[in-house]
Amino acid sequence: MPAEANRDKAARAATTDKAGKAAATAGPGTARPAPASPLTERQEARRRRILRTCAQLACRGGFDAVQMREVAESSQVALGTLYRYFPSKIHLLVATMQDQLETLHGTLGKKPPAGETPAERVAETLMRAFRALQREPHLADAMVRALTFADRSVSPEVDQVSRQTTTIILDAMELTDPTPEQLSAVRVIEHTWHSTLITWLSGRASIAQVRIDIETACRLVDLTAPRGPMATDDHR
């Protein structure tokens, strides 16, 4: 592990050094590279191959099994190229979680939750997501640990995970224009879902307890629903 970490640091340093030299050549005021252009079809295919490899390694051995050099070799990309896509293992695993959530979102679109109320549909959605992670506990543990370890440098990737989760919940609510109160409820639900994942992965909560906690948090959805005109008139 230490040797692997040292090699990865050296590769990162080499990549960073090249970027720094390019910035210096461009002149003052260009210390930070310009925003990345949209990925080409070939680059997107490479990125997805990397994410798929990361998920496969994590499924086999969890967080520690995801080593950047092995990811690069299995993905058939140079180590420096891998670091240009994902500056660290944490970036890679958080991006993998966002990719997993995108896949879940697509599945939910084909088979939406069937609950009668928004709270029931959100709870069903999150339990389906939980069961998907439950089938691959090593992968779930690796992604959750990455989210927990993420510092400010990973904020864009963490924000993408949060936005994807919010989108999934709002779709389950069948809501396109949420109020500030509803968005607050969604954030609490997200925090609860993340917390239940951690407690379950650490063996401190059963599946039954996870369901109870998620269903309890999801009741906030109904509590924050705007009242219609008749409900308002009744309170005049």
Side-chain angles (χ1 to χ4, degrees):
M1 289 287 292
E4 178 72 36
N6 289 336
R7 288 196 298 270
D8 288 352
K9 286 180 181 178
R12 275 200 304 274
T15 302
T16 303
D17 183 57
K18 290 179 182 177
K21 288 178 180 177
T25 303
T30 57
R32 293 179 63 84
S37 301
L39 296 179
T40 65
E41 184 176 342
R42 183 177 180 183
Q43 289 170 330
E44 179 60 28
R46 183 184 297 129
R47 181 180 182 277
R48 298 204 64 79
R49 191 164 69 245
I50 291 169
L51 292 172
R52 187 166 57 250
T53 298
C54 176
Q56 290 169 348
L57 291 172
C59 284
R60 291 202 294 265
F63 185 85
D64 292 335
V66 179
Q67 298 297 328
M68 296 296 272
R69 184 170 296 279
E70 185 170 355
V71 171
E73 291 174 353
S74 298
S75 303
Q76 297 181 327
V77 300
L79 186 57
T81 300
L82 173 60
Y83 278 118
R84 285 196 293 273
Y85 280 85
F86 304 102
S88 74
K89 171 177 171 175
I90 300 299
H91 287 79
L92 175 55
L93 279 166
V94 173
T96 299
M97 185 164 197
Q98 199 268 339
D99 185 62
Q100 296 288 313
L101 288 171
E102 278 189 3
T103 300
L104 171 67
H105 193 199
T107 301
L108 289 167
K110 297 174 183 177
K111 188 179 179 182
E116 294 184 1
T117 68
E120 289 175 351
R121 293 194 296 273
V122 173
E124 179 187 338
T125 293
L126 293 180
M127 285 308 299
R128 283 169 66 178
F130 188 87
R131 285 194 292 272
L133 292 172
Q134 186 183 5
R135 287 192 289 271
E136 297 292 352
H138 291 311
L139 173 60
D141 179 68
M143 295 187 300
V144 170
R145 285 176 66 180
L147 279 176
T148 304
F149 296 156
D151 58 20
R152 290 184 179 179
S153 71
V154 199
S155 291
E157 288 80 5
V158 173
D159 288 345
Q160 286 182 342
V161 168
S162 180
R163 282 194 295 270
Q164 187 69 62
T165 307
T166 297
T167 298
I168 288 171
I169 293 174
L170 290 177
D171 281 0
M173 295 169 65
E174 299 178 0
L175 194 62
T176 58
D177 189 21
T179 66
E181 292 78 13
Q182 288 172 320
L183 286 175
S184 293
V186 169
R187 284 193 294 272
V188 172
I189 292 168
E190 286 183 33
H191 295 326
T192 301
W193 185 63
H194 184 240
S195 177
T196 56
L197 276 176
I198 293 174
T199 54
W200 174 74
L201 287 167
S202 63
R204 294 183 286 115
S206 65
I207 302 298
Q209 187 62 54
V210 166
R211 177 180 289 278
I212 290 171
D213 290 350
I214 288 177
E215 290 178 347
T216 300
C218 287
R219 290 177 194 149
L220 288 172
V221 167
D222 293 338
L223 292 174
T224 56
R227 294 182 298 175
M230 292 187 63
T232 303
D233 291 341
D234 290 343
H235 288 80
R236 286 180 181 174

